Amino acid sequence: MSTNNHLNHSLILTVLLLIAFATKTEQSNQIPALYVFGDSFVECGNNHYVPGADLRNFFPYGIDFGTPTGRCTNGKTVADLLAIYLGLPFAPAYLGLSSKGNRVITTGINYASGGSGILPDTNNKTSLIMDEQIRGFERTVKEILPKGLGEEAVEKHVSESLFLVSSGVNDHFKNRTFRGSRKFASYLINEFKIRLQILHSLGARKFFVNNVPPAGCFPSMTLHLKPIGKCSEKMNKRISFYNKKLLILLHELQTQLPGFTFVYSDLNKSIMEIRQNPHKYGIVEAIKPCCPRSINGDLACRPYSDFCANRNTYLFFDDHPTERANQIYAIKCFVIDHAICTPRINILHFLGNESFPVKKTLERIKYDLSSLIL
């Protein structure tokens, strides 16, 4: 990739960060915390404390983060970039807080666990399933937040906080067998509905929900298909059954639950767009993983595996997006593309404040950013 392209993408990220920091004070007054639920796409280290869990606490994971943290990529996750945009610190791993004597955190906590799912039977021996994640949040509301905020302030705090939920892909696999279908999509949606209702009953009102990514395009799938690198269209089609029902569900809950508001995040579309038009985004390799660099064997990224030299030119780190792919998604979701996040995830959506200072800033740079990335 040319030097100019490197500069362009760096400029895009820089502008995004400047917006975040320039508006940090106003935003944090309105969105005081980010609470994260889900799987390995947003995990930040809970699996360190789960016996038998699949760990990512070794290099080259975290190589661009500065240290391995349990994140399943080379750098920041979507949850991290959302925190930056909201002007909040990264949400720490819930189980890590518990191990340190119940530290009082009021800016958000990450309950996500790699391998977990919506269903209780999805890797329930080796991950913190969603039911356990929600129980962790319930304990946070009842025991942790009152210590830091006082009993009277907890309800307001929770109602103004943002809840990122990213789960469902692991549920589509049981005993390594893909089980996606229209019937399964309906079942999974109903189970997810129950859990969103529980979060709402605990005070949550503002939801940012990722759909299920295109597992049929993950390197572990495509590099064993013929021709090599071709996505499994059948698998992706069956995943789409769930994603379509997810958007319908969120609209339904908005009409049924008082104060429920949401952003539907089309993570699936973002990954597919980068894969289909990689050079448009400065990506050179959209099929092979960065780690391991060799596509032979089981494609597992192990401690000190041989990995690609330039992660910024890869879509996938292993089966998870690289930090660069997450950055591209974040910019499209938060600033540019109405189609990736519905409604578009800018602070105006959640604040309902058309006079908010960031509006003019976003509009002023929209054209410049679009010319660089779209």
Side-chain angles (χ1 to χ4, degrees), residues 9-54:
H9 287 288
S10 296
L11 175 61
I12 292 168
L13 180 60
T14 299
V15 173
L16 178 63
L17 296 179
L18 286 174
I19 295 170
F21 291 126
T23 59
K24 177 176 180 178
T25 301
E26 296 92 338
Q27 291 177 19
S28 60
N29 287 339
Q30 297 291 334
I31 298 183
L34 174 65
Y35 294 100
V36 183
F37 303 80
D39 53 32
S40 57
F41 273 69
V42 291
E43 194 206 340
C44 69
N46 281 307
N47 277 11
H48 291 175
Y49 307 93
V50 178
D54 188 14

Side-chain angles (χ1 to χ4, degrees), residues 114-117 119-129 170 173 175:
S116 70
L119 303 176
D121 68 345
T122 299
N123 299 323
N124 58 2
K125 302 297 184 185
T126 56
S127 69
L128 197 67
I129 62 173
N170 294 315
F173 296 85
N175 298 325

Side-chain angles (χ1 to χ4, degrees), residues 318-331:
D318 51 9
D319 266 350
H320 301 84
T322 57
E323 179 182 78
R324 176 63 75 196
N326 287 333
Q327 290 170 346
I328 294 169
Y329 156 81
I331 295 163

Side-chain angles (χ1 to χ4, degrees), residues 16 34 36 39-43 71-73 75-86 90 110 162 164-166 208-211 265-267 270-271 321-331 333-334 340-341 345:
L16 178 63
L34 174 65
V36 183
D39 53 32
S40 57
F41 273 69
V42 291
E43 194 206 340
R71 290 167 171 81
C72 299
T73 184
K76 300 178 187 67
T77 67
V78 168
D80 297 324
L81 295 168
L82 182 54
I84 291 173
Y85 183 70
L86 296 174
F90 297 155
N110 188 317
L162 185 57
L164 167 59
V165 188
S166 182
F208 181 98
V209 184
N210 280 343
N211 66 7
S265 165
D266 201 341
L267 182 62
S270 179
I271 292 174
T322 57
E323 179 182 78
R324 176 63 75 196
N326 287 333
Q327 290 170 346
I328 294 169
Y329 156 81
I331 295 163
C333 175
F334 305 160
I340 295 298
C341 290
I345 172 61

